[in-house]
Amino acid sequence: MSVRILALVGSLRAGSHNRQLAEAAVKLAPEGAEVVLYEGLAEIPFYNEDIDVEGSVPAAAAALRAAAGEADGFLLFSPEYNGTIPAVLKNAIDWLSRPFGAGAFTGKPVAVVGTAYGQYGGVWAQDEARKAVGIAGGTVLEDVKLSIPGSLERFASTHPVDDAEVAEQLTEVIARVHGHAGEAVAA
C-alpha cells in the first residue's frame, strides 16, 4: 500500500530554503510513501466565501482541493514572516478547510516543519500553522516537529538533502507522517 503525502510550502521564492527542505522530503521518502510537492499556491485567490460556490470555484483552488483529496497525509513547510505564518500557507489552509466539517484535512495526519534565519527556526509560525490546520480538521502530529534555525548560514552552500543531520531528522518526520497516514488508510 502506497501512502501519498502532499507537501505545501509557505514560501513562493524559487530559492526558498523551505522549498529546498520540501524537495529534500521528496527525495527522502521511504519505500511505500510518495511525497508530492504541490505547485501552484501563488495562483490561488484569497479565500472568499462569495467565490467558493459549487460549480464556480476558481480553477487554482479546485486543483489544490483535488490534490489534497488524493493525499493520505500532509507535510507543511513554514518559514516565519513577521513572527507568524505566511499568508500563502494560511490561504491554502483556508481553502482546504471547506466545506466546513468535511474539508480535505479532515481526519488526515499533518506535520508542520520548517526553517528560518532566526535562532528558533520559525517555531512561532509553525505553531500557528498547527493551530490553523487543527481547527481546519487535520490530525496534527503535535510531537512531530522540526525547526531548523540559521537557514541563511546553514544552507548558504548546502542543500538540506546534503546536510546529514537535517536529512536524518526530516526522514524521521516523513516516516512518522507515513506511519500515521498508513494507519488511517488501513482503518
Side-chain angles (χ1 to χ4, degrees):
M1 163 183 62
S2 182
V3 170
R4 184 183 197 101
I5 300 168
L6 189 63
L8 304 177
V9 180
S11 174
L12 300 178
R13 190 172 63 84
S16 159
H17 295 122
N18 280 283
R19 180 175 178 79
Q20 291 176 2
L21 201 58
E23 292 167 354
V26 170
K27 292 178 182 176
L28 296 169
E31 186 174 331
E34 176 188 19
V35 176
V36 177
L37 178 54
Y38 188 79
E39 305 287 353
L41 291 184
E43 287 77 40
I44 301 170
F46 283 112
Y47 185 79
N48 176 344
E49 284 186 73
D50 292 341
I51 61 174
D52 188 8
V53 178
E54 191 172 333
S56 63
V57 171
L64 172 64
R65 284 179 173 165
E70 295 174 1
D72 301 305
F74 297 88
L75 246 175
L76 277 52
F77 295 84
S78 184
E80 191 167 274
Y81 292 174
N82 297 314
T84 194
I85 184 173
V88 68
L89 187 56
K90 177 63 169 68
N91 189 47
I93 292 169
D94 290 345
W95 276 104
L96 295 176
S97 72
R98 302 293 196 267
F100 183 74
F105 286 122
T106 302
K108 296 179 183 178
V110 183
V112 181
V113 300
T115 185
Y117 67 85
Q119 65 181 340
Y120 301 111
V123 295
W124 290 347
Q126 293 162 32
D127 286 345
E128 290 295 316
R130 285 182 194 93
K131 175 180 151 189
V133 80
I135 292 169
T139 302
V140 178
L141 305 179
E142 292 289 350
D143 63 333
V144 179
K145 297 181 179 180
L146 176 58
S147 302
I148 305 163
S151 62
L152 291 178
E153 295 82 26
R154 184 160 195 164
F155 303 125
S157 60
T158 303
H159 192 284
V161 78
D162 298 321
D163 181 313
E165 179 185 18
V166 170
E168 180 181 335
Q169 293 171 334
L170 186 56
T171 299
E172 175 60 25
V173 167
I174 299 163
R176 299 280 304 279
V177 175
H178 176 238
H180 284 277
E183 290 173 12
V185 169

